[in-house]
Amino acid sequence: QVQLVESGGGSVQAGGSLTLSCAPTGYIVNSRGVGWFRQAIGKEREGVASIDRIGGGTYYSDSAKGRFTISQDNDKNTVFLQMNSLEPEDTAMYFCAAGGSWRTWAMFPNEFHYWGQGTQVTVSS
């Protein structure tokens, strides 16, 4: 079964940067949208950023705008999330997900059919 594999998580101090990577272990059908969700302890999962693998369009949550950048490599196989100016509030498990839909204005978890296991990001003050 094809899986998404995340990497790049870790622990940083506030103001630091991390780059997360997401790559599938094989070919994923119907995966126009690829996004990053995060879930902090005791909180609901929230969409952070997503990219249209075909058109290149991007979506960012309000908390991510201006600090995070989502991109893909030339082969459109690996998706990256560059996170700058990290804050303690960014501490969470970050999940990569892929699905057939992509929207400019929101991310809905039920539209993403493939999920990674997650990578932990911890930001200390």
Side-chain angles (χ1 to χ4, degrees):
Q1 183 176 355
V2 178
Q3 296 180 331
L4 296 174
V5 180
E6 305 103 332
S7 61
S11 297
V12 296
Q13 291 190 328
S17 299
L18 284 173
T19 299
L20 307 182
S21 300
C22 171
T25 58
Y27 178 73
I28 295 180
V29 297
N30 196 22
S31 60
R32 176 170 183 165
V34 177
W36 290 93
F37 290 80
R38 69 185 182 186
Q39 188 165 19
I41 295 175
K43 295 188 176 181
E44 293 186 356
R45 186 169 297 189
E46 65 166 330
V48 175
S50 65
I51 188 166
D52 176 359
R53 294 177 64 218
I54 297 174
T58 57
Y59 160 85
Y60 296 97
S61 65
D62 287 343
S63 62
K65 286 178 184 176
R67 300 188 301 128
F68 295 1
T69 302
I70 190 169
S71 62
Q72 57 185 349
D73 64 5
N74 290 335
D75 294 331
K76 300 180 180 180
N77 195 44
T78 300
V79 173
F80 306 95
L81 184 67
Q82 172 70 41
M83 304 186 295
N84 298 325
S85 302
L86 285 163
E87 304 166 350
E89 292 73 21
D90 296 314
T91 296
M93 184 71 77
Y94 283 70
F95 299 90
C96 176
S101 301
W102 178 80
R103 303 176 187 273
T104 62
W105 49 275
M107 294 172 64
F108 299 103
N110 61 357
E111 294 183 344
F112 291 80
H113 309 300
Y114 298 92
W115 290 83
Q117 294 298 309
T119 185
Q120 178 67 37
V121 171
T122 303
V123 184
S124 59
S125 58

